[in-house]
Amino acid sequence: DDPGGSSGGGGGSSGDRPVSIVGIADIGADLVRSDGFAGLLGLFVTLNVFIGIFNLVPLLPLDGGHVVIATYEKVRSMLRGGEPYHVDVAKLLPLTYAVVMVMVFLGLSTVYLDIADPIGG
């Protein structure tokens, strides 16, 4: 049940760090060998649920950030007697850029760790 790869034949370090699409493909190949396509389907379900929940993190490039802004605008509009209130999203762009840069760095570093495997394994 652990998609981190402790039951797979690969390196044991993938359960201790984020895994890229390269590592997920390796885990999926191990699951097909050991559990058949039912294990692969379980991995797809797990990934889909993770992406859906991660997308709700309240940071602006993700959908959760848009939900937070819309909720804030609605509450402010209700407090102002129904007069529409709009957030200046351009003021949030530096935070958005920072979040995107962290996500890109994390993605590139996990791909590097899955391909080069400098830690061992």
Side-chain angles (χ1 to χ4, degrees):
D1 289 3
D2 179 25
S6 62
S7 63
S13 65
S14 65
D16 300 335
R17 64 173 175 79
V19 180
S20 72
I21 191 69
V22 175
I24 293 294
D26 186 41
I27 292 169
D30 290 342
L31 281 174
V32 167
R33 274 188 237 115
S34 64
D35 299 337
F37 285 103
L40 186 63
L41 183 63
L43 178 65
F44 285 152
V45 168
T46 303
L47 285 174
N48 201 9
V49 169
F50 170 76
I51 290 171
I53 292 172
F54 181 77
N55 200 22
L56 292 176
V57 172
L59 294 171
L60 190 57
L62 304 173
D63 287 340
H66 296 285
V67 170
V68 168
I69 290 173
T71 304
Y72 177 73
E73 287 177 345
K74 181 67 173 176
V75 169
R76 283 289 301 256
S77 295
M78 288 171 40
L79 292 175
R80 297 173 83 186
E83 180 182 339
Y85 179 80
H86 299 288
V87 173
D88 185 10
V89 182
K91 291 182 180 178
L92 298 173
L93 283 179
L95 175 65
T96 302
Y97 294 148
V99 171
V100 168
M101 292 304 294
V102 167
M103 289 173 32
V104 166
F105 175 76
L106 182 63
L108 292 176
S109 61
T110 56
V111 167
Y112 170 75
L113 287 173
D114 283 337
I115 293 174
D117 198 19
I119 297 174

